Amino acid sequence: METTISWEDFSKIDMRTGTVTAVYDFTEARNPSFKLDIDFGPEIGVKKTSAQITEKYDKEDIVGLQVIAVVNFPKKQIANFMSECLILGAVENSSVVLLQPQMTVPNGLKIS
């Protein structure tokens, strides 16, 4: 386990549900990756991110998936792309399994 954080620190992390609406190859990335558009509902809208998920996912299988992401990190430049959120996944070596709600829920719901 890494450093312990306070409940106050945890409460600052804004995790939301969103649906992947588009997936693109990210050929400029250093590691095999996709670019994703994720719809977080009317309050937040669509945000873009990149994800190193090519080992377990094909582009066609990701569109329509509901996922969980952190939406209040600052934007981060990755190669020639500006990532606007961080999609969450369980990581084992270079393999990532995306975190998803067990049932379909409205886009934009807060995770707590």
Side-chain angles (χ1 to χ4, degrees):
M1 189 168 82
E2 297 199 14
T3 305
T4 301
I5 65 170
S6 69
W7 285 106
E8 182 181 345
D9 290 337
F10 178 74
S11 70
K12 295 175 187 175
I13 302 169
D14 191 357
M15 293 179 283
R16 303 284 183 122
T17 57
T19 299
V20 177
T21 58
V23 180
Y24 312 94
D25 291 319
F26 191 6
T27 56
E28 302 85 5
R30 203 174 307 163
N31 298 312
S33 303
F34 293 131
K35 297 184 222 178
L36 293 83
D37 292 347
I38 305 173
D39 180 3
F40 291 101
E43 179 185 345
I44 296 171
V46 174
K47 288 188 172 266
K48 299 176 181 311
T49 193
S50 66
Q52 295 177 14
I53 56 175
T54 58
E55 200 170 299
K56 291 202 179 284
Y57 296 92
D58 294 322
K59 286 190 305 188
E60 303 78 30
D61 300 330
I62 303 170
V63 173
L65 282 185
Q66 196 163 52
V67 295
I68 298 169
V70 176
V71 297
N72 66 333
F73 281 143
K75 293 179 181 180
K76 181 177 182 179
Q77 178 129 14
I78 302 168
N80 62 343
F81 179 75
M82 192 62 73
S83 181
E84 302 173 319
C85 63
L86 175 68
I87 193 168
L88 299 179
V91 181
E92 182 178 23
N93 300 317
S94 64
S95 183
V96 178
V97 175
L98 296 174
L99 297 185
Q100 298 178 265
Q102 189 175 12
M103 297 176 199
T104 302
V105 297
N107 288 334
L109 285 187
K110 284 189 171 197
I111 304 299
S112 61

